[in-house]
Amino acid sequence: MRDKLYVDEFYGVTVIAFYGWWARVADWLDRRVWGGVVAGVAWSFGLSAQLNRFLDTNVVDGGFDKGCDELAVGGGLLARVQTGRVQTYLRILALAVVVLAAILFWSSRA
Amino acid sequence: MSGIHLLTLLTMLPLVGAAIALWSGKHARAVALITTLISLALALVVWTQLPANGGYGLVEQHVWAPSLGINYYLGVDGLGALMLLLSAIVTLMSVDAANRVHHQPGLYFALVLTLEAGLFGSFTALNFFHWFLFWELCLIPAFFLIKLWGGARRGPAATQFFVYTMAGSMALLVAFLAVFLSTGSMDFPHLTLLASTGELEQMVTEHLGPVMLWLAIGVLAGFAVKVPMIPFHTWLPAAYAEAPSPVTMLLTGAMSKMGVYGLLRIALPLFGAQIAQIRTPLLVLAVATVVMGAFAAAAQKDLKRIFAYMSVNHLGYCLLGIFALAVPAAGAAAQTSQAMALNGVILQMFNHGLTAAALFWFVAMMQQRTGGHRGIDQFGGLGKPAPALFGLMCIALFSSLGLPGLNGFVGEFLIFRGAFPLAWVAATVSILGLLVTAAVILTVIQKVFTGPVPEHCAGFPDLHHSERMALIPVIGLMILLGLLPQLIVESVNPTVVNLLAHWRF
């Protein structure tokens, strides 16, 4: 039987070649396609986390911090009124009475 | 021993063992060995107390939070009891294999025992909430075991494993909340009864509209991740390769069975009709899991990744059997095929668990002897210096190949015998998986055990006496179940008949 009728060679270029090629395809699908989808999902989660951090730091925190600053300034101004001197409080009270009287006067005319 | 408390005792014992192991330092492994041995004895007692009619035995039921449908509800049939036995055996093997844990052994063995408790709880729970607690409990110790004791890339592997499984769990939880809102019950036997008469679908449709198919898909997604089914499997090779080998034994031997168990305990009983509706695409995915798992194994050079992909392939046979039988059976012949396929699936769960865990055990021994080598091209000619390792590992490899006379054959044969009349195209294409697995296993044997011995394997020691003594019962069980599969089938078959009688496709 010359060269065993090339059975081994035929087997090599058909069955063995298919086995090796398909094994590489299965491995590639696993690493690139299915693994790629998972990596893509992980990447999108990472991206949304970064976006969230940006919004948190620059928008939410920014707005909140600004509000806090304004409150602190307003509080500081109000604190100046709190002197502990009875004369000052009476002056403010008298001023308030004058303002209220003026409002009542103008509203009764209308 | 009172049957009333046996399942609770079985579940609590590893938790007690874990608490003791945590404070036992270097004696933690001994504590874990004693605990797992007692657990195995208790699991055997459970196995002997199964009711003859295939229904649930050793039932324990207590009200927990009735307004939420939550009950402390335990019970086992042939399926649950076999999984208890498998979990007990695999955990014992894993503890025995972990003889070189030097970094925080107390914590390591406490986590292993907690994982065992999670497995026992999930295989005995008959209420969704109760079951879900233990299902999630398994995830936490598994995550830390990979993260703290794993290989170089353990961080990403552990995170991927955790996130993947959690995503699946969320899909399951949402689907089950919808079922609870519609029925007011979370008890599996009650819901199975409702599903078998078609009432479950009616109630869900009345409350939520035509969403039953989507709920089925949610439940299937949860279990597809755990089994795993292609394309939800990408966490597995990384987790199996990076986990320490004794932990991989637990992941493949016991935890992967939780997914198949869930399909049999929850998905098919409650959503049988919906699974039958989408049976064809599910069969395509099952065949892809069988065939692509086998081919992907052929492309690997790392022994752990080879066995990881072979696990995907072997669990694909379970999926093939499950989806093939999800069809309205017309006539006695079709019913017989369904029963054969289901018997095959349950046997395959047990046999794969035993064999795959043993294979990873062998890898652990080879790594210990060569300073961590596990590439198939790094070994060669080990049959000469280590004939006992060669002989015993070859039996495990041939069992994985499905050689007649060994346990691996019986389950696969029954699955194919049952699936062929029900889904002949899927069964025929899946045979390709058998052929490729055989080629992969023979390549492993050839590269690892024949040819010249490389320099770094020159002084490769054979199995020690204690290692042989530990392995012989496992290998003996493979031979015993290959020759006398009726030891399991006789106890499982009544459950199979009982399950099929209540499933509606």
Side-chain angles (χ1 to χ4, degrees):
Chain A
M1 298 284 264
R2 195 181 154 202
D3 292 323
K4 295 178 285 176
L5 296 173
Y6 298 101
V7 169
D8 286 353
E9 285 75 7
F10 177 74
Y11 186 71
V13 296
T14 53
V15 176
I16 301 290
F18 174 78
Y19 173 81
W21 179 77
W22 200 241
R24 284 193 295 278
V25 168
D27 190 48
W28 178 82
L29 278 174
D30 234 55
R31 287 177 195 275
R32 302 290 170 203
V33 181
W34 313 130
V37 170
V38 173
V41 172
W43 182 81
S44 69
F45 272 87
L47 188 71
S48 66
Q50 291 293 333
L51 188 68
N52 194 36
R53 195 174 79 165
F54 173 81
L55 289 173
D56 234 33
T57 311
N58 296 300
V59 180
V60 180
D61 282 2
F64 184 75
D65 291 350
K66 183 82 179 160
C68 287
D69 286 347
E70 296 297 332
L71 200 64
V73 171
L77 287 174
L78 278 175
R80 287 185 187 178
V81 179
Q82 301 283 330
T83 58
R85 294 179 64 185
V86 180
Q87 292 92 330
T88 310
Y89 295 151
L90 285 173
R91 280 189 202 117
I92 292 170
L93 208 62
L95 188 68
V97 169
V98 170
V99 170
L100 272 174
I103 289 169
L104 280 171
F105 175 73
W106 285 109
S107 58
S108 65
R109 277 189 68 182
Chain B
M1 188 180 296
S2 165
I4 306 288
H5 306 297
L6 189 53
L7 297 181
T8 297
L9 182 66
L10 181 66
T11 311
M12 291 301 146
L13 178 71
L15 290 176
V16 174
I20 299 170
L22 196 58
W23 305 107
S24 302
K26 61 182 180 181
H27 302 296
R29 183 164 171 263
V31 172
L33 271 174
I34 293 166
T35 309
T36 48
L37 272 169
I38 300 171
S39 298
L40 178 57
L42 286 177
L44 279 166
V45 173
V46 171
W47 179 253
T48 58
Q49 295 195 3
L50 285 175
N53 64 2
Y56 293 114
L58 303 169
V59 173
E60 298 175 38
Q61 195 169 12
H62 305 285
V63 173
W64 191 343
S67 59
L68 298 171
I70 299 170
N71 293 315
Y72 183 84
Y73 192 6
L74 300 175
V76 282
D77 55 5
L79 169 64
L82 189 64
M83 290 304 104
L84 290 181
L85 213 49
L86 175 67
S87 306
I89 293 171
V90 170
T91 313
L92 178 60
M93 287 165 68
S94 169
V95 171
D96 201 4
N99 54 1
R100 299 216 176 166
V101 181
H102 303 301
H103 171 61
Q104 290 190 288
L107 180 60
Y108 176 92
F109 289 106
L111 289 170
V112 168
L113 291 173
T114 307
L115 179 53
E116 187 181 38
L119 289 164
F120 287 157
S122 63
F123 289 135
T124 53
L126 295 179
N127 175 276
F128 176 78
F129 181 83
H130 187 168
W131 171 84
F132 196 72
L133 269 183
F134 285 100
W135 167 273
E136 293 296 305
L137 177 66
C138 289
L139 194 56
I140 297 160
F143 170 78
F144 283 111
L145 285 167
I146 300 171
K147 178 89 176 168
L148 299 178
W149 286 272
R153 289 183 50 78
R154 59 185 184 266
T159 306
Q160 200 181 6
F161 164 74
F162 192 87
V163 173
Y164 237 121
T165 317
M166 274 301 285
S169 297
M170 289 307 106
L172 255 171
L173 186 62
V174 170
F176 233 88
L177 284 176
V179 170
F180 171 67
L181 281 174
S182 309
T183 62
S185 175
M186 287 204 191
D187 292 342
F188 297 149
H190 181 231
L191 292 172
T192 303
L193 204 65
L194 289 178
S196 67
T197 56
E199 282 176 86
L200 179 65
E201 187 169 0
Q202 270 178 11
M203 292 166 105
V204 169
T205 310
E206 271 171 27
H207 282 84
L208 303 166
V211 295
M212 202 62 180
L213 183 62
W214 291 106
L215 300 186
I217 290 170
V219 168
L220 282 170
F223 296 131
V225 169
K226 201 80 164 189
V227 174
M229 178 170 77
I230 282 179
F232 304 103
H233 69 293
T234 52
W235 62 268
L236 184 142
Y240 282 21
E242 294 305 322
S245 293
V247 175
T248 313
M249 290 165 69
L250 281 171
L251 294 178
T252 187
M255 270 188 86
S256 66
K257 307 303 168 294
M258 290 169 73
V260 186
Y261 177 85
L263 287 170
L264 298 178
R265 180 67 74 220
I266 299 170
L268 280 178
L270 271 57
F271 301 99
Q274 290 68 39
I275 290 172
Q277 269 181 49
I278 51 170
R279 181 173 172 258
T280 305
L282 289 174
L283 275 171
V284 170
L285 291 177
V287 172
T289 306
V290 167
V291 177
M292 299 307 274
F295 273 111
Q300 308 305 314
K301 299 291 178 199
D302 174 348
L303 272 174
K304 284 183 85 173
R305 287 184 77 91
I306 291 173
F307 294 149
Y309 278 108
M310 273 169 46
S311 277
V312 174
N313 158 270
H314 279 92
L315 291 165
Y317 298 125
C318 291
L319 295 173
L320 172 71
I322 287 170
F323 297 138
L325 68 83
V327 64
Q335 284 174 357
T336 307
S337 295
Q338 283 181 321
M340 280 195 172
L342 189 51
N343 267 306
V345 168
I346 296 173
L347 266 177
Q348 175 77 351
M349 289 165 76
F350 185 84
N351 291 330
H352 171 262
L354 188 69
T355 304
L359 286 175
F360 281 104
W361 196 354
F362 283 114
V363 175
M365 291 172 182
M366 290 162 76
Q367 283 184 280
Q368 282 173 8
R369 284 164 166 75
T370 56
H373 288 298
R374 57 184 208 216
I376 47 171
D377 295 327
Q378 293 172 319
F379 295 107
L382 292 187
K384 209 170 273 180
L389 174 78
F390 176 39
L392 294 177
M393 190 169 173
C394 273
I395 295 174
L397 283 166
F398 282 126
S399 156
S400 183
L401 182 150
L403 192 76
L406 294 170
N407 62 334
F409 170 76
V410 193
E412 287 176 17
F413 174 78
L414 281 174
I415 288 172
F416 276 94
R417 166 63 187 83
F420 199 83
L422 301 169
W424 70 269
V425 176
T428 307
V429 180
S430 295
I431 287 173
L432 193 58
L434 289 176
L435 293 173
V436 176
T437 311
V440 172
I441 286 170
L442 292 175
T443 306
V444 168
I445 293 173
Q446 185 197 357
K447 293 208 170 189
V448 174
F449 293 109
T450 64
V453 183
E455 206 171 302
H456 69 269
C457 293
F460 193 94
D462 201 358
L463 296 178
H464 309 307
H465 179 71
S466 60
E467 289 173 329
R468 290 181 205 197
M469 288 300 106
L471 279 165
I472 282 171
V474 178
I475 301 295
L477 197 55
M478 289 180 196
I479 297 168
L480 183 70
L481 294 177
L483 298 174
L484 297 170
Q486 59 268 37
L487 290 174
I488 288 180
V489 175
E490 276 175 6
S491 296
V492 166
N493 191 50
T495 295
V496 165
V497 174
N498 189 48
L499 288 174
L500 285 170
H502 290 93
W503 292 353
R504 175 175 163 268
F505 297 114

